[in-house]
């Protein structure tokens, strides 16, 4: 079975990658399966810089093909915040709940029409003897005043997708992967995966 290492310890992301790669006959390993690998400090100021940093560091350590993603939420009314700080927006201890509360507090006086936002995902693929490449996916939506839905993770319960009239957290995993920022980035990656393997 073909193997690809996803440089994440995020169980939500790991599950999404497994679902996306399963039909293509790939065994997905994540850093949850490789506890000896230290977390890579995300010192980049863009999603692309962080994704490349993670992919290249882990690929060098494991001498293997590695895909790393950096993703997050950009809200227009907040000048693109939380951006690269999405996971730790409310503090160093990652908390989806506190992050959502902070965003909702900051948008309290912003009217619905001005609550436009998008999820960004940059995937970087690195490995021995290959040039590191990136692909980018986005998903447009707006931020609600309250949470809706129980699926997904992160900001999904407050991110409304107008084309489906649902939040990300109200979508099935299949619906989400068909329209999500990560799903869109992965579609591009799949088209080029044979260049790397």
């Amino acid at each position: 079975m073909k193997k690809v290492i996803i440089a994440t310890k995020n169980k939500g992301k790991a599950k999404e990658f497994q679902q996306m790669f399963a039909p293509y006959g790939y065994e997905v390993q994540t850093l949850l399966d490789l506890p000896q690998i230290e977390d890579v400090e995300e010192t980049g100021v863009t999603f692309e810089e962080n994704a490349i940093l993670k992919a290249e560091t882990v690929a060098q350590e494991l001498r293997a093909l590695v895909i790393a993603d950096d993703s997050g939420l950009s809200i227009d009314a907040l000048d693109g915040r939380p951006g690269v700080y999405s996971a730790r927006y409310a503090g160093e201890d990652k908390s989806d709940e506190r992050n959502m509360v902070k965003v909702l507090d900051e948008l309290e006086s912003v009217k619905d029409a001005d609550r436009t936002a998008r999820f960004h995902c940059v995937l970087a693929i690195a490995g021995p003897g290959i040039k590191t490449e990136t692909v980018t996916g986005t998903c447009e939506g707006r931020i609600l005043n309250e949470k809706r839905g129980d699926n997904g993770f992160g900001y999904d319960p407050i991110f409304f997708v107008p084309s489906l009239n649902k939040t990300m957290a109200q979508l099935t995993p299949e619906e989400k992967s068909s329209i999500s920022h990560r799903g869109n980035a992965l579609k591009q990656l799949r088209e080029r995966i044979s260049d790397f393997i």
Side-chain angles (χ1 to χ4, degrees), residues 57-73:
T57 303
V58 177
Q60 198 170 4
E61 199 165 337
L62 294 175
R63 307 295 303 153
L65 189 70
V66 174
I67 296 171
D69 104 316
D70 197 46
S71 51
L73 177 65

Side-chain angles (χ1 to χ4, degrees), residues 139-193:
C139 179
E140 298 287 329
R142 64 183 170 81
I143 305 301
L144 296 181
N145 295 296
E146 60 188 14
K147 295 187 295 179
R148 287 188 208 160
D150 301 310
N151 297 331
F153 61 98
Y155 297 91
D156 287 355
I158 58 171
F159 188 88
F160 183 75
V161 183
S163 60
L164 298 175
N165 201 33
K166 290 178 179 177
T167 67
M168 281 284 210
Q170 291 174 306
L171 303 178
T172 66
E174 294 73 28
E175 286 173 321
K176 182 179 175 181
S177 68
S178 73
I179 60 103
S180 76
H181 51 308
R182 196 165 295 110
N184 288 331
L186 251 150
K187 282 173 200 157
Q188 296 179 54
L189 187 63
R190 277 192 203 116
E191 287 168 13
R192 301 177 54 196
I193 202 85

